[in-house]
Amino acid sequence: MRKWRANPWAVLVAMSLGFFMTLLDLTIVNIAIPDMMDGLGASLGQTLWVVSGYALTLSALIITASRLGDLCGPRNLFAVGLAVFTVASLACGLAPTATALIAARVVQGLGAALLTPQTMTLIIAVFPAERRGTAMGVWGMVAGLATLSGPTLGGFLVSALDWRWIFFVNLPIGIAALVLTLLVVPDIRPGRAHRFDLTGVVLATGALFCLAFGLQEGESYHWGAGIWWLLVAGAALSAAFLLHQRRRQEREPLVPFALFRDRNFTSMTALVGLVSVAMLGLVLPFNLYLQSVLHLSAVKAGLVLAPSSLVSMTVGPFAGRLADRIGGKYLLLTGLTCYAAGIIAIAYVAAPGAAWFAFVPATLLTGLGVGCIIAPMSTEAMRNVPRHLAGAASGVNNTVRQIGSVIGAAAVGALLQGRLAAELATGKTYAAAFTATLHTTAILPVAVLIVGALACLLLRPRAAQPTAACAPTAAAQPAPTR
């Protein structure tokens, strides 16, 4: 293994295995909700917290975890995150009660938060700038594979074995990733000591938790006064955090404002959040339509969505390589256009008696769009980021991604329920009402993608990017330690 130590592709395999698990567990649990309710005697509210507890912890702690990676070394945080996630997966599978399962899922979210931002940091550290697009393409392909595997693999495990196996399946992946990390991933450390901004950590964690909880659980609490006060508290803590960071810009802040002087990083970070909103805006109502209107099983519904992920996985590495050569601006615009066209096509085909195979051309188009978006988006965001700021940049990027997912789920959930109730009130059958609702909800992701296209227009052409920004000063370059 000495020959493979610090090999960029071996490091990428280790990063991809860990990243795969965290994304898989965002989607695989939804399929097993009915079986978990029966097996644990849990209420629907308790079971939904199995999903929410993981997502909230992951959203709230990513910025903090990225800074800890700068302090302790990204490899160490990645390994600790893998260990925590794997042990928590075992605890989830063995949980005797709903309360124990929720607690284990929160610990799982902690592990995911520790390892997720380190993946991008380590990829940037081991790959030269001209090859990062290809690496990010593989990274995006892993995201597509996890999206594909979640509903399909979860449905198979629940049907053939038991709901507990959706957690046990993480054990061999986690152990393999941990062993590979210790053997091949270099221990990259900064050449100087870092300070830990405890006040910033408390403010950021509190703000992200209040905002994520309020948006994610607002519908469950009927958007009552408590939810609105929580959102106000989140906004106030966010303002306090930004003011605190402004005062600490010369003393290693959690969020260096220098990152946002790079137009590419700023516009692509905004695009990350917008694409997350758009993805939830399509997948949630479309998946419900397949199961509640067309009466497909969870496994069959997952297979209908599979062409999109398969195309995305195939196109991603090529899009990343092309972004290295020509820049990502026009690739991104092409991808956003294809994704929006695919959403419109799905809404056009959707009818109470539509055949599942009629959606294949549209899902292939959405897959092509996602494949052209993920790798160039990450590559352009991180292209000019100095290595000593890579951890902070990764934390900001991943936090915006998670918050975008929460906002997307909350927005489409509220729109879905409101429109469905209005359509049913007109006397339509459930199938006709839900189909009409799907046509309306499709407006949300398409509108968001149009805003994303406007953000892409701000990208600087690759030829005009300053090369000096790609190389940190000697004092800021990380040095491998043995």
Side-chain angles (χ1 to χ4, degrees):
M1 297 298 297
R2 187 176 301 169
K3 181 178 70 172
W4 290 100
R5 185 166 183 80
N7 180 284
W9 298 106
V11 172
L12 182 60
V13 170
M15 299 299 100
S16 297
L17 285 173
F19 188 51
F20 174 84
M21 285 198 308
T22 63
L23 291 179
L24 183 70
D25 270 53
L26 280 170
T27 57
I28 197 171
V29 174
N30 294 308
I31 295 293
I33 284 177
D35 292 84
M36 285 191 290
M37 290 175 64
D38 293 339
L40 296 174
S43 65
L44 177 60
Q46 286 178 310
T47 312
L48 290 177
W49 264 104
V50 174
V51 180
S52 301
Y54 177 83
L56 284 171
T57 307
L58 177 58
S59 300
L61 295 179
I62 280 185
I63 283 185
T64 301
S66 68
R67 194 57 175 151
L68 287 173
D70 290 337
L71 289 167
C72 306
R75 186 193 75 157
N76 293 340
L77 259 291
F78 184 78
V80 169
L82 279 174
V84 170
F85 190 94
T86 305
V87 172
S89 297
L90 178 62
C92 287
L94 298 175
T97 64
T99 302
L101 179 57
I102 292 168
R105 283 285 283 174
V106 169
V107 178
Q108 245 193 344
L110 170 62
L114 289 174
L115 72 89
T116 297
Q118 318 312 329
T119 60
M120 193 179 290
T121 303
L122 286 164
I123 289 171
I124 291 171
V126 300
F127 278 90
E130 66 273 9
R131 293 167 64 193
R132 284 179 199 155
T134 305
M136 290 297 182
V138 175
W139 194 67
M141 182 185 72
V142 170
L145 180 61
T147 304
L148 166 66
S149 301
T152 309
L153 179 60
F156 172 77
L157 290 173
V158 170
S159 301
L161 296 168
D162 184 72
W163 65 265
R164 296 180 185 274
W165 281 90
I166 65 173
F167 301 111
F168 291 148
V169 74
N170 291 327
L171 300 183
I173 302 174
I175 292 170
L178 183 58
V179 171
L180 193 61
T181 298
L182 297 176
L183 290 176
V184 305
V185 178
D187 186 8
I188 296 170
R189 303 288 187 96
R192 58 191 175 84
H194 282 285
R195 299 184 183 92
F196 187 66
D197 180 10
L198 182 60
T199 303
V201 164
V202 172
L203 289 172
T205 302
L208 290 170
F209 178 82
C210 289
L211 293 172
F213 184 95
L215 292 169
Q216 188 165 291
E217 301 297 320
E219 195 65 35
S220 302
Y221 291 91
H222 308 292
W223 297 100
I227 290 294
W228 288 108
W229 277 114
L230 199 63
L231 292 174
V232 169
L237 287 171
S238 298
F241 172 74
L242 291 175
L243 289 173
H244 174 71
Q245 292 302 288
R246 183 181 178 183
R247 290 195 295 267
R248 282 191 62 93
Q249 287 304 299
E250 302 301 322
R251 293 180 293 155
E252 298 196 72
L254 280 176
V255 179
F257 289 173
L259 288 171
F260 298 99
R261 294 181 191 138
D262 176 15
R263 187 197 298 177
N264 283 16
F265 177 82
T266 303
S267 58
M268 290 300 95
T269 298
L271 184 62
V272 163
L274 293 169
V275 168
S276 295
V277 172
M279 286 185 173
L280 268 295
L282 169 64
V283 172
L284 277 179
F286 186 42
N287 192 33
L288 287 172
Y289 163 81
L290 293 173
Q291 295 187 62
S292 64
V293 177
L294 300 189
H295 304 294
L296 300 181
S297 66
V299 176
K300 289 181 179 178
L303 291 174
V304 172
L305 296 169
S308 177
S309 296
L310 289 172
V311 172
S312 171
M313 289 162 49
T314 305
V315 171
F318 296 101
R321 192 177 307 167
L322 197 56
D324 282 337
R325 294 179 180 176
I326 66 171
K329 181 175 183 176
Y330 296 107
L331 278 171
L332 286 166
L333 289 171
T334 300
L336 292 167
T337 301
C338 289
Y339 195 45
I343 295 171
I344 294 170
I346 286 172
Y348 179 78
V349 172
W356 65 266
F357 51 80
F359 293 100
V360 171
T363 55
L364 290 173
L365 195 56
T366 60
L368 176 62
V370 172
C372 291
I373 292 170
I374 299 300
M377 182 169 62
S378 301
T379 303
E380 294 300 329
M382 306 298 287
R383 189 185 297 280
N384 295 331
V385 173
R387 285 189 179 182
H388 69 287
L389 294 180
S394 178
V396 171
N397 198 273
N398 280 287
T399 298
V400 172
R401 186 192 310 275
Q402 293 300 324
I403 292 297
S405 296
V406 171
I407 292 173
V412 76
L415 183 60
L416 192 65
Q417 292 192 22
R419 287 308 308 161
L420 183 58
E423 295 289 345
L424 288 171
T426 64
K428 293 180 180 177
T429 64
Y430 178 83
F434 197 98
T435 302
T437 300
L438 178 64
H439 295 158
T440 303
T441 58
I443 297 172
L444 172 65
V446 171
V448 168
L449 291 171
I450 292 172
V451 177
L454 295 177
C456 287
L457 296 177
L458 298 175
L459 275 176
R460 294 183 185 277
R462 188 171 188 273
Q465 291 172 355
T467 56
C470 297
T473 61
Q477 288 178 348
T481 60
R482 302 290 182 190

